[in-house]
Amino acid sequence: MKTLLQRYVQVLHVLGLIVLMAFATTAPLSAQSQMLPTSGTNTADTVTLPDPLTPEAIHEMVARMSDDQVRGLLLDRLDAVAAAQSAPAPGKGLIATLEETWTAFYSPGLSAIGKLSHLGSKQIEALSNFRSAFGDMGLLKLFAFMAIAIAAGLAAEMIVNRISKRWQGTEATADDATLWSALGFLARRFGREILGLVAFYVALRTVGLALLSPAQLSFAGPFVTYMIWFPRLGAAVSRFVLAPHRSDLRLVNIDDRWAAYLHRNLIGLVLLGGFTMFIIGFNTANGVAIAETRIAFWLNSAVHIYVALIFWTAREGLTQMMLGTDPDRSRFDVWVASAYPYFAIAVAAVTWVVVQVLSGFGYFKLLLTTPHYTTMFWLLLAPVIDTAIRGLVRHMLPPMIGEGAVAEAAYKATKRSYIKIGRVIAGLIVVLRVAEAWNLDLRNLAAAGVGERFAANSVEFIMTVATGYVIYELVSLYVNRQLAKEQTSVAGVEGDLGGGEGGGAGGSRLTTVLPLALVSAQTAIMVIFGLLAVGSLGIDITPLLAGAGILGLAIGFGAQKLVTDVVSGVFFLIDDAFRVGEYVEVGGTMGTVEKISIRSMQLRHHRGLVHTIPYGEIPKLTNFSRDWVIMKLMFTVPFDTDPNKVKKIFKRIGAEMIADPLYKDDFLEPFKSQGVFQFDDVGIVMRGKFMAKPGTQFTIRKEIYNRVRKEFDANGIEFARREVRVALPGLDESDNLSEADKTAVAAAAGAAVQQQVEAKAAEAAAAKGKK
């Protein structure tokens, strides 16, 4: 028992002050005089904390405590301290956070300005330390061995380039260069350069490891990497993309002047960035810390200023590059191309601000991995990425469906959709790469603090919106292609609309249903992903759903007529009662179905009038354009005409037209005679008929009229004309009639004609009334 007590006393000597002082600072003052129950068997014993809590009083209290009391007191206090440490710390206010951020932003600059006078001396100190570490002879050996290693690397690169030169293939000439030939040539050249650089690095490293000591390698390795290998790699990439000396092989749309300018300055930019990383590591390795000179501030600022200067000077060329060579540009594409140089300058400025803030907070270890350079690289690579997307779309896009304006519009819309989808996917990849550069795990950000949760919610919001947009474009792309396919299949008929007299053929059922399906699908996608995006920000969407349900009920009760129209329209479409382009009659209103919506249809009369009819007000619909039409034609010939002769003429005309390439595809049944239809008071009424596709009957009818007239003339057949014959007694004496008698005869004939005209008009009115 004494051994156990001694052990607890030893423990309390170490932890007693920490635990009890933590208790004194976290518990209420009244608790210091509280009687604590023991955890042993004797529950009546209590421990009173001494007041004041001095080391002597603690030792005296522990000396008179039992083992159970010591154990219980120690466990209770350790639990209290653990609970206090696990409790969330009070968050900082917005004002305090902004003040800290502002201080972190300007403090590196002030510190760099304050230490500017020591910059030269500290740099000389670093060089002096470097010289002292190796000595004059050691430096001579270092540079000599480095020269030998570099020469060995260059020799290895030259040998590899000569061996791989036959892989280059035939160089495309300016006259026959295409995208694929230029891309193949540049890719092979780029591969040769990369292979040569790899040989250079391997040979240099092999010779360097053999000649240089580890201390010498600590200088030679970063120098070769940052000052030689990286700039040469950047030059190879720039030659692949810009081809400064071969405009016919250039992959981006930019002229020679700006291509050469960007090529030179991109190499200079990589060289400046490499020098920045090298000198920081050099000073640190030679006893001069980053904070002592703040040279990183000046060099990093120079890099960002250089980037802004490049994009400001070459804004004309960069705008050309973003526009590309595709003639199908939208106004948004032109605006983006014009704004891109200024966006690049803004990226350089914002990245510089972020670096200063992180420097003020002391995140030098993160900044040494150059995430800001990676961010600028990906964000400023936008013209190349966009050019690649448009090039792939232009050469992988399916061919245009059909011909004409409808097919061309659909083709352009399809190309724009593919480009938009490619841009969204590329944007997501860039976001992931930038997040990786800053060591941000986008999946686990939500498990961190408030700021990280906000970042995670923002990233999830962006991802949700981007996913919804891609699905929106894919659905629109599929529906528009199907719609274009259906529309171009009937484009020839839609242009005529029944010869301008109504009754033209309509489109397919998909042509009518697909626009409504597209609108419905787009609306559903926007609503669903809109709610998901709002929910990803941490906002409870349950009230929104409840409000939408209440709104739906209100619409259902307050707009019953609207519901009736919508439901009626659904059943009309299910029954396939009409299609866009068909000629219909609704309650005495006739016209071509020009447009449909979820609650009404628009009819275009063949004289230009437009009628809007809600579906709920359609009692009966007559369709004049469905499947086929039969046209019956009447011809009146004199009584002495041979009907068989007319019948043969009709048969011959029908045979000629069914063989005519201009009309044969429009006939379903040829024109033929139906014989004598009736006799009237003028002559014999002969009737013929034909069956044709809707919309073509009027053109065929006109041609039949012309051919019948010509055949009748050729065969000596006249059309019957209305005549009035007046029988007068003593007509043999007509030459002896006086003027008064002739006037009387003419008046009697006129009265007879007028009587017959009125009779015919009455018969027509009666027939129309019965109809």
Side-chain angles (χ1 to χ4, degrees), residues 493 496 627-629 657-658 660-670 690-697 699-700:
V493 177
D496 188 15
D627 300 331
W628 48 267
V629 293
M657 292 191 68
I658 202 71
D660 192 335
L662 197 61
Y663 302 102
K664 66 178 182 178
D665 294 333
D666 298 332
F667 278 105
L668 297 179
E669 290 183 5
F690 65 90
M691 180 185 294
K693 296 177 181 178
T696 64
Q697 68 270 27
T699 303
I700 295 175

Side-chain angles (χ1 to χ4, degrees), residues 63 159 162 168 199 323 381 441 458 474 595 696 710-711 750:
I159 294 173
R162 288 186 176 182
Q168 180 66 58
L323 280 176
L381 200 64
D441 189 351
S458 301
L474 288 175
K595 182 181 179 182
T696 64
K710 292 179 181 179
E711 290 293 332

Side-chain angles (χ1 to χ4, degrees), residues 44-60:
D45 296 337
T46 57
V47 178
T48 303
L49 293 179
D51 188 13
L53 283 173
T54 61
E56 293 78 8
I58 293 174
H59 286 296
E60 183 180 354

Side-chain angles (χ1 to χ4, degrees), residues 33-34 67 78 200 256 386 487 508 558 572 675 679 713 731 745:
S33 60
Q34 182 181 355
D67 295 342
L78 288 177
F200 168 80
D256 293 341
D386 194 67
Q487 287 177 334
S508 65
F572 273 120
F679 288 87
D713 289 342
L731 189 60
V745 171

Side-chain angles (χ1 to χ4, degrees), residues 485-495 505-508 511:
K485 185 186 300 183
E486 297 294 329
Q487 287 177 334
T488 52
S489 64
V490 295
V493 177
E494 288 179 352
S508 65
T511 306

Side-chain angles (χ1 to χ4, degrees), residues 594-627:
E594 186 175 68
K595 182 181 179 182
I596 63 172
S597 65
I598 61 174
R599 65 166 295 271
S600 65
M601 62 189 300
Q602 288 185 354
L603 300 184
R604 170 80 67 174
H605 193 267
H606 57 269
R607 293 180 181 174
L609 305 178
V610 177
H611 306 281
T612 301
I613 304 174
Y615 297 126
E617 297 181 3
I618 301 178
K620 182 181 69 172
L621 187 144
T622 303
N623 195 326
F624 294 93
S625 302
R626 184 58 56 88
D627 300 331

Side-chain angles (χ1 to χ4, degrees), residues 88-418:
K92 298 179 181 178
L94 178 61
I95 302 299
T97 303
L98 292 177
E99 289 178 351
E100 289 185 1
T101 304
W102 172 247
T103 303
F105 167 69
Y106 70 75
S107 57
L110 291 179
S111 176
I113 294 173
K115 296 179 180 180
L116 185 60
S117 58
H118 305 289
L119 180 60
S121 60
K122 287 294 182 182
Q123 196 60 50
I124 293 174
E125 179 182 345
L127 293 173
S128 177
N129 293 338
F130 174 68
R131 179 181 178 182
S132 301
F134 291 98
D136 293 338
M137 186 58 64
L139 288 178
L140 183 61
K141 290 182 179 180
L142 170 63
F143 292 123
F145 290 158
M146 285 179 59
I148 294 173
I150 293 173
L154 292 175
E157 181 182 5
M158 185 180 301
I159 294 173
V160 170
N161 285 339
R162 288 186 176 182
I163 295 175
S164 62
K165 189 174 183 179
R166 60 178 181 271
W167 302 347
Q168 180 66 58
T170 304
E171 182 175 350
T173 62
D175 296 331
D176 61 355
T178 63
L179 174 65
W180 294 116
S181 63
L183 184 62
F185 180 84
L186 292 174
R188 290 191 297 271
R189 188 178 71 177
F190 180 72
R192 287 183 59 237
E193 290 192 58
I194 294 300
L195 186 62
L197 287 176
V198 171
F200 168 80
Y201 182 79
V202 171
L204 183 147
R205 180 177 176 83
T206 303
V207 176
L209 289 175
L211 297 178
L212 299 173
S213 65
Q216 292 172 329
L217 285 174
S218 64
F219 169 80
F223 179 83
V224 171
T225 300
Y226 292 126
M227 303 299 295
I228 299 177
W229 202 79
F230 276 0
R232 297 192 65 196
L233 179 62
V237 174
S238 177
R239 273 191 294 271
F240 173 75
V241 175
L242 296 173
H245 304 295
R246 289 296 306 271
S247 60
D248 55 312
L249 301 177
R250 195 166 298 144
L251 299 179
V252 292
N253 181 40
I254 191 172
D255 57 30
D256 293 341
R257 172 195 173 193
W258 295 120
Y261 174 83
L262 289 176
H263 177 68
R264 292 193 306 269
N265 286 277
L266 287 177
I267 297 175
L269 183 63
V270 176
L271 189 61
L272 178 59
F275 176 74
T276 301
M277 299 306 301
F278 168 74
I279 200 66
I280 292 174
F282 176 82
N283 288 351
T284 304
N286 289 279
V288 178
I290 298 176
E292 292 185 32
T293 61
R294 292 290 184 180
I295 190 174
F297 170 84
W298 301 108
L299 292 176
N300 180 68
S301 299
V303 170
H304 289 267
I305 293 173
Y306 195 9
V307 169
L309 182 62
I310 291 173
F311 281 87
W312 173 259
T313 305
R315 57 188 183 276
E316 179 184 347
L318 293 170
T319 301
Q320 295 175 2
M321 192 185 301
M322 283 294 292
L323 280 176
T325 58
D326 191 356
D328 299 328
R329 307 186 187 111
S330 64
R331 286 192 294 179
F332 177 77
D333 293 335
V334 176
W335 180 84
V336 169
S338 302
Y340 172 71
Y342 307 99
F343 165 78
I345 295 172
V347 167
V350 171
T351 310
W352 180 81
V353 171
V354 171
V355 170
Q356 301 316 306
V357 172
L358 293 177
S359 299
F361 283 119
Y363 292 105
F364 297 110
K365 186 176 181 181
L366 173 62
L367 293 177
L368 286 176
T369 61
T370 64
H372 47 301
Y373 294 160
T374 304
T375 302
M376 284 195 297
F377 170 79
W378 282 104
L379 293 180
L380 302 181
L381 200 64
V384 178
I385 297 175
D386 194 67
T387 300
I389 291 172
R390 285 181 294 181
L392 289 175
V393 168
R394 187 167 60 252
H395 290 84
M396 299 177 63
L397 189 68
M400 186 170 65
I401 301 175
E403 297 179 354
V406 175
E408 186 176 354
Y411 179 77
K412 292 180 179 179
T414 301
K415 182 165 62 175
R416 284 194 294 267
S417 295
Y418 275 119

